[in-house]
Amino acid sequence: METQQNWAENYTFGAIRRHYPETLEQVREIVARSRKVKALGSRHSFNGVADTSEDHISLERFAFAPMIDVGRRTVTVGGGTTYGRLCRELHRHGFALHNMASLPQITVAGACATATHGSGDGNANLATAVAALDIVTADGSVRTLSRERDGEMFPGAVVGLGGLGVVTKLTLDIVPAFTVRQVVYENLPLSQVEADFERIFSSAYSMSLFTTWRKASFDQVWFKHRAETETDIVMEAERFGATLATAKIHPIASLSAEPCTEQGGVPGPWYDRLTHFRSDAPPSVGAELQSEYLVPRIHAVEALRAIADMRERIAPLLQVSEIRTVAADTLWMSTCYGQACVGIHFTWNPDWPGVQNLLPEIEARLAPFQARPHWGKLFTMSPVHLQALYPKLPEFRHLLQTFDPQGKFRNEFLDTYLFG
């Protein structure tokens, strides 16, 4: 079998076989006969969290059309379904998800398993929408877990890092569809963010700050407002010291804005504004590396100052950095377990030696703030340090061993960071 890489081509998977089952029975049979197996989503992780030494199962051909339950306000989808595909179907029926990540090309199962998030003071990560999930466990049987029936086990299983089994089906909470207007401003002073962090981030349903850390300001501010009427968003010439952008722009200002979702306050469906990139366009840059650290919100300003102090070290390796807020949740292995957070995200140039040399310094600067790295991105933190950041890790280890006593779904990443 030819080797396969992740989407950014910085990681080569170690699986020796790749399977594309089309039915649940085929998934069960593959899992039951495999010695080491792992589900592979859209390959948007930058590390080995989804890798395996033997059998990879892709659910991209697993046919399962979204099923909407209007009374319960839920939708049930196949694990290989992408958000881009799901969202159009939801909107067509008058429904929405509470939040979206930057990219719509990622799979629902993969995003939820790694606590992937969007932005917004009141918006918890994507996994918090999960109300139930079906998991093919090590012996090939199907285990259904739900928020209603499974009590404390359920929040342990949702952000499962692929360690419990192959998630073939998820049921998600949905809300009535809504309209969003996206308005972009430029050149927000860092001093303004330090002085007015809470008011700035509470001023929109979802928002992002972008910077190259080359100067003491944020190059772009993307406000995403819920807009129920034609006149409820006033585009001021200046907000918080930043000026209104006069043209559509990409987070990386040197690139064409064509792949980006509509800006300029033009109203549009939630799914085509909460993401930064359109589902029919290339996601982000491609030739890149990514890291992200989730810092408790109470330390947000101090953490941003700590990174700003490293400006001269960071800027030469960086394409862009994004700052977002995420609400707290109760999912054991979520980066926002028990605390509202600010996400400090880095999109790096594809220079792993340089990035690898810099990350320990960034992690040391953020260590006093108990920063948790995103599970699907690059970090160099020691297993001991990482494990200390998750108070429910002992219970999660027990859950993994209960579902998978022989370690069929464990891999080098899980063995290192959860059991090492």
Side-chain angles (χ1 to χ4, degrees):
M1 184 186 77
E2 292 184 6
T3 57
Q4 186 174 39
Q5 294 181 300
N6 65 339
W7 74 290
E9 298 184 351
N10 75 290
Y11 186 89
T12 300
F13 294 106
I16 57 176
R17 289 175 293 274
R18 196 178 310 133
H19 307 274
Y20 296 90
E22 299 179 10
T23 67
L24 178 60
E25 286 306 313
Q26 290 173 353
V27 176
R28 294 178 63 186
E29 192 273 329
I30 295 165
V31 169
R33 72 168 187 255
S34 295
R35 194 182 70 87
K36 286 285 188 179
V37 62
K38 201 81 168 174
L40 182 65
S42 53
R43 300 180 292 114
H44 273 72
S45 292
F46 288 80
N47 58 36
V49 65
D51 204 359
T52 182
S53 59
E54 298 195 18
D55 291 287
H56 253 155
I57 293 179
S58 169
L59 295 181
E60 64 182 63
R61 300 176 190 170
F62 185 75
F64 190 92
M67 296 173 56
I68 297 172
D69 187 324
V70 174
R72 287 181 171 268
R73 284 198 176 177
T74 61
V75 61
T76 301
V77 300
T81 302
T82 64
Y83 281 94
R85 177 188 171 201
L86 168 62
C87 291
R88 281 182 167 77
E89 185 71 8
L90 277 180
H91 191 74
R92 191 167 68 85
H93 288 85
F95 289 101
L97 299 172
H98 77 287
N99 206 2
M100 294 284 288
S102 300
L103 310 176
Q105 291 89 349
I106 56 179
T107 62
V108 176
C112 293
T114 54
T116 295
H117 61 89
S119 183
D121 280 8
N123 301 326
N125 70 43
L126 305 186
T128 60
V130 177
L133 65 169
D134 282 6
I135 306 173
V136 176
T137 58
D139 63 358
S141 61
V142 179
R143 180 83 177 267
T144 299
L145 298 177
S146 77
R147 189 190 296 143
E148 289 182 354
R149 295 189 304 271
D150 291 288
E152 185 66 7
M153 181 190 297
F154 186 72
V158 175
V159 181
L161 305 176
L164 302 177
V166 178
V167 176
T168 56
K169 190 165 66 174
L170 304 94
T171 298
L172 309 176
D173 297 328
I174 55 178
V175 298
F178 54 95
T179 298
V180 173
R181 294 174 184 261
Q182 182 166 241
V183 185
V184 177
Y185 284 75
E186 296 181 278
N187 300 315
L188 173 67
L190 174 60
S191 59
Q192 187 72 44
V193 176
E194 293 175 336
D196 221 0
F197 183 92
E198 295 297 332
R199 198 160 66 94
I200 291 171
F201 274 91
S202 65
S203 65
Y205 181 79
S206 172
M207 68 169 298
S208 297
L209 308 182
F210 292 98
T211 180
T212 59
W213 295 112
R214 295 184 182 277
K215 52 188 178 179
S217 66
F218 292 92
D219 307 299
Q220 302 174 28
V221 188
W222 291 33
F223 294 97
K224 299 169 188 274
H225 298 279
R226 287 189 62 147
E228 308 304 335
T229 71
E230 289 295 317
T231 59
D232 55 4
I233 300 299
V234 177
M235 293 197 299
E236 305 159 297
E238 182 177 306
R239 292 189 73 181
F240 303 109
T243 56
L244 183 67
T246 57
K248 185 176 176 181
I249 51 180
H250 192 286
I252 300 173
S254 61
L255 298 182
S256 167
E258 178 61 25
C260 299
T261 49
E262 196 62 59
Q263 301 166 20
V266 178
W270 54 278
Y271 67 86
D272 202 31
R273 297 294 185 275
L274 294 181
T275 60
H276 300 333
F277 300 97
R278 305 193 329 262
S279 60
D280 61 347
S284 192
V285 182
E288 64 192 76
L289 304 174
Q290 290 186 15
S291 301
E292 185 177 31
Y293 299 92
L294 283 294
V295 175
R297 187 181 175 122
I298 58 173
H299 301 308
V301 171
E302 295 170 281
L304 291 176
R305 285 193 190 116
I307 296 302
D309 287 345
M310 295 180 60
R311 183 180 302 124
E312 293 182 359
R313 296 268 289 119
I314 290 173
L317 291 167
L318 188 71
Q319 298 193 42
V320 74
S321 181
E322 180 179 11
I323 313 301
R324 292 175 285 180
T325 56
V326 191
D329 62 63
T330 60
L331 306 177
W332 293 359
M333 300 308 292
S334 167
T335 45
C336 292
Y337 173 79
Q339 58 196 21
C341 288
V342 57
I344 304 176
H345 185 278
F346 302 93
T347 298
W348 304 105
N349 293 320
D351 175 6
W352 177 232
V355 172
Q356 186 179 31
N357 186 53
L358 182 61
L359 289 182
E361 185 178 343
I362 290 175
E363 291 168 1
R365 294 289 186 104
L366 296 179
F369 313 122
Q370 302 295 297
R372 295 168 176 164
H374 189 298
W375 289 110
K377 302 187 188 296
L378 296 168
F379 57 90
T380 59
M381 191 176 292
S382 74
V384 171
H385 186 121
L386 180 63
Q387 290 163 18
L389 299 172
Y390 287 90
K392 300 292 283 187
L393 179 58
E395 291 91 336
F396 185 64
R397 286 187 186 128
H398 178 71
L399 188 63
L400 291 178
Q401 291 166 335
T402 300
F403 271 69
D404 183 21
Q406 304 303 316
K408 180 176 286 194
F409 299 106
R410 281 167 56 177
N411 57 14
E412 183 180 357
F413 184 94
L414 297 186
D415 285 340
T416 299
Y417 292 106
L418 300 188
F419 293 91

